[in-house]
Amino acid sequence: MDTNLARLQRITPTEADSFADTVLDGLARSPKEIACKYFYDEAGSRLFDQICELPEYYQTRTEVALLKRHAGEIAALMGSGVEIVEFGAGSLRKVRILLDAAHNPRAYTPLDISGDYLSDVVRVLAADYPALTLRPLVGDFTRPLEIPALSTPSRRAGFFPGSTIGNFKPDAAMALLRRMRSNLNGGGLLVGVDLVKDPVRLHAAYNDAAGVTALFNKNLLARANRELGADFDLDAFAHYAPYNAAAHRIEMYLVSLKRQTVTLAGRHFEFAQGEPLHTEDSHKYTIESFREMACRAGFSPRAVWTDEDRLFSMHWLESR
Ligand SMILES: C[S@@+](CC[C@H](N)C(=O)[O-])C[C@H]1O[C@@H](n2cnc3c(N)ncnc32)[C@H](O)[C@@H]1O
């Protein structure tokens, strides 16, 4: 075991029980829905990594380019000796750019709901950064959250890339930013936010030609079959992800291709032909609308960086 790598620590209750409750509750609703955080078991995390490589998925490429271009400025804003806390850390690829530029970082604390995947990727990072203290946390940042202090507490800087903030409706997004702020103990937050743009481009990003996003969406049903013994027929549902221009968001659904009954935990759920199951929203912001929300969450927006085509933005927010 690498000595710089602490044991994976769970800081919110296991999501396995809540997955069962969420699916049972969500299938009984009208319209039917399941929260997108349940996409991310190990298979879902790996599918998301494939999405990041797709030609249509401009988000990852653009955010990585912004991070590389502005790493020096970001490192100066974060300051020396900070603990970098990443929310929804995923593959841990983007943080390498920050770690390479950071001034003597005290520790890196990745937090993710996808525990098995985090356990794999953090081992690779630990081998590549032997001098860095790594403290992986498994938890759900939508729940009350307390990130434990290090043995010698230091200033924190938050990192929240990937426009994961877009997966929350504006009120929930603001509440999430507040929760992060209170965990940063006065430190700043670097957030990646996807921008409002040509709906054709947005539509293509969530409806890729290779069908990887469709597989990612259907992993929710595959996961329910694997973990909960449900009997979803994956071929009897279609991936559907339209852009709702009035609400500035991509909406993701699985649409039942026929009249069918799904059985889970002894309960039966009827789907009409064409009935949608809502699985995700991805809200898009303007730079101004995101900064306004950050203000309402108790941050002072400072630097903001965007690409020439204004596809994506990165915001440095200071705690007030
Ligand atoms: C859109 S992906 C972004 C991944 C990575 N940060 C990036 O920028 O490529 C969202 C990430 O957040 C994690 N996640 C989603 N909901 C979460 C929650 N409620 N609590 C903790 N992590 C969550 C997922 O497991 C996934 O790794």
Side-chain angles (χ1 to χ4, degrees):
M1 153 138 187
D2 309 274
T3 49
N4 59 326
L5 175 57
R7 272 182 45 181
L8 202 70
Q9 193 182 342
R10 180 170 288 285
I11 59 165
T12 60
T14 168
E15 78 274 10
D17 301 340
S18 63
F19 181 43
D21 293 344
T22 300
V23 176
L24 287 168
D25 176 59
L27 293 181
R29 287 177 186 229
S30 182
K32 294 179 171 59
E33 62 176 4
I34 302 176
C36 66
K37 65 185 176 187
Y38 295 107
F39 280 139
Y40 297 97
D41 62 352
E42 181 150 15
S45 294
R46 292 194 188 282
L47 282 165
F48 182 74
D49 288 351
Q50 287 181 37
I51 289 176
C52 292
E53 305 289 327
L54 292 168
E56 297 94 332
Y57 201 75
Y58 60 85
Q59 289 93 321
T60 305
R61 274 194 310 280
T62 314
E63 189 176 35
V64 164
L66 285 174
L67 281 169
K68 285 187 176 158
R69 191 176 311 153
H70 301 290
E73 279 168 85
I74 294 169
L77 286 164
M78 286 187 167
S80 170
V82 285
E83 176 191 6
I84 298 178
V85 178
E86 181 169 359
F87 299 96
S91 68
L92 314 186
R93 288 197 191 123
K94 291 172 188 167
V95 77
R96 287 170 181 254
I97 304 166
L98 289 188
L99 292 172
D100 292 344
H103 306 309
N104 192 24
R106 163 78 182 83
Y108 169 53
T109 300
L111 165 69
D112 207 287
I113 200 166
S114 190
D116 292 338
Y117 183 65
L118 178 59
S119 159
D120 284 353
V121 291
V122 82
R123 261 189 250 121
V124 179
L125 193 80
D128 291 345
Y129 291 81
L132 180 71
T133 299
L134 276 160
R135 197 171 56 122
L137 303 177
V138 187
D140 178 351
F141 53 52
T142 65
R143 297 185 178 216
L145 194 66
E146 185 152 347
I147 295 178
L150 292 167
S151 51
T152 46
S154 56
R155 252 172 3 90
R156 284 182 173 158
F159 184 38
F160 191 31
S163 206
T164 306
I165 190 71
N167 295 144
F168 296 85
K169 294 209 160 48
D171 282 353
M174 196 174 69
L176 179 59
L177 288 176
R178 278 187 193 283
R179 202 157 34 249
M180 290 178 176
R181 183 176 149 270
S182 75
N183 271 282
L184 292 173
N185 305 334
L189 178 66
L190 181 69
V191 199
V193 183
D194 199 11
L195 296 175
V196 169
K197 62 180 62 62
D198 176 1
V200 174
R201 182 144 205 181
L202 280 169
H203 187 269
Y206 293 85
N207 293 276
D208 60 284
V212 183
T213 313
L215 282 179
F216 174 73
N217 197 3
K218 287 189 183 186
N219 183 54
L220 207 46
L221 307 185
R223 181 179 179 187
N225 289 352
R226 275 193 299 272
E227 290 184 22
L228 311 177
D231 64 352
F232 283 104
D233 172 1
L234 270 56
D235 294 331
F237 287 87
H239 166 75
Y240 179 57
Y243 182 61
N244 178 338
H248 310 296
R249 65 178 180 233
I250 288 282
E251 296 173 357
M252 209 143 94
Y253 301 93
L254 289 161
V255 177
S256 178
L257 293 173
K258 60 181 188 188
R259 190 170 165 193
Q260 56 182 319
T261 304
V262 172
T263 303
L264 168 58
R267 286 173 60 186
H268 304 293
F269 299 93
E270 304 295 332
F271 279 84
Q273 183 175 14
E275 184 175 350
L277 166 63
H278 180 233
T279 53
E280 189 181 69
D281 287 328
S282 184
H283 291 81
K284 309 302 167 189
Y285 289 88
T286 62
I287 286 177
E288 296 70 31
S289 65
F290 182 75
R291 284 166 71 97
E292 269 166 35
M293 186 172 77
C295 281
R296 279 185 275 123
F299 284 105
S300 296
R302 296 286 185 222
V304 56
W305 301 276
T306 184
D307 53 294
E308 292 79 38
D309 299 325
R310 288 176 86 88
L311 297 178
F312 201 89
S313 59
M314 295 232 55
H315 300 251
W316 174 251
L317 311 175
E318 282 175 7
S319 296
R320 266 195 262 117

